[in-house]
Amino acid sequence: MSTHALRLAELTPATIDAALALRVRPDQEHLVAPVATSLAEAYVHGDTAWPRLILDGERPVGFVMAFFDVRFDPERPDDRPRSGLWRLLIDAGQQRGGYGRFAVEQVCAEVRRRGGTRATVTYHPGPDGPEAFYAGLGFRPTGELSGDQAVAERELEPLE
């Protein structure tokens, strides 16, 4: 992996099949929805979803989707709009190569670019879940749940 070759790219007719072919390991399938589900969610939440293919050069290695200005519980008066990581899927054969870290940092940069000061992530809690990965990137559990998923947040450095 060359960090100079890593980038996020919009999905196009030329890349959709490669995106749909991305798969996590079988033991991770309960932790993250397939790309097809993410794209359906992005379609119906087009104003808040930001789906991107993770490329190493021209080779697709994963998928990431961010969300922007979403209220988790609009019925609560103190619920504030949040932005952050909605979905992260690194292909089974590409894991442990730094691609997930790269994608999370790119999402955080986009949140900052849009004026955000905090990034939010939700994940399935448990010993086989990604909590340690997100903690290593500076995300701290808030104690909240979003459905059956734990919520964690990371304070973002302001843009200079």
Side-chain angles (χ1 to χ4, degrees):
M1 171 187 81
S2 164
T3 56
H4 296 295
L6 292 182
R7 63 188 172 92
L8 299 186
E10 289 188 42
L11 280 87
T12 67
T15 61
I16 188 69
D17 288 336
L20 293 172
L22 295 168
R23 298 278 186 279
V24 294
R25 297 187 325 252
D27 64 305
Q28 298 170 323
E29 290 175 353
H30 68 286
L31 298 172
V32 63
V35 172
T37 300
S38 296
L39 293 178
E41 290 169 337
Y43 177 78
V44 298
H45 297 286
D47 53 337
T48 59
W50 193 71
R52 295 292 185 268
L53 198 56
I54 306 165
L55 298 174
D56 187 348
E58 294 304 312
R59 182 172 48 99
V61 295
F63 173 84
V64 65
M65 187 161 71
F67 65 91
F68 299 104
D69 299 323
V70 171
R71 292 181 186 274
F72 283 14
D73 188 357
E75 301 300 316
R76 271 192 14 226
D78 63 336
D79 189 35
R80 60 183 163 67
R82 302 178 202 222
S83 299
L85 188 67
W86 186 347
R87 192 76 33 78
L88 177 62
L89 184 153
I90 305 300
D91 194 62
Q94 305 300 322
Q95 293 180 13
R96 299 228 172 265
Y99 301 121
R101 174 179 291 274
F102 170 79
V104 171
E105 293 301 339
Q106 293 301 300
V107 167
C108 288
E110 184 65 18
V111 170
R112 274 193 304 271
R113 191 184 71 70
R114 293 174 182 232
T117 59
R118 180 180 308 152
T120 302
V121 65
T122 62
Y123 55 85
H124 288 283
D128 60 343
E131 182 175 4
F133 169 75
Y134 291 122
L137 293 173
F139 287 87
R140 301 293 170 248
T142 65
E144 301 169 275
L145 289 176
S146 176
D148 63 347
Q149 296 195 11
V151 178
E153 294 188 331
R154 171 179 157 182
E155 296 296 324
L156 301 175
E157 299 293 324
L159 287 176
E160 296 181 14

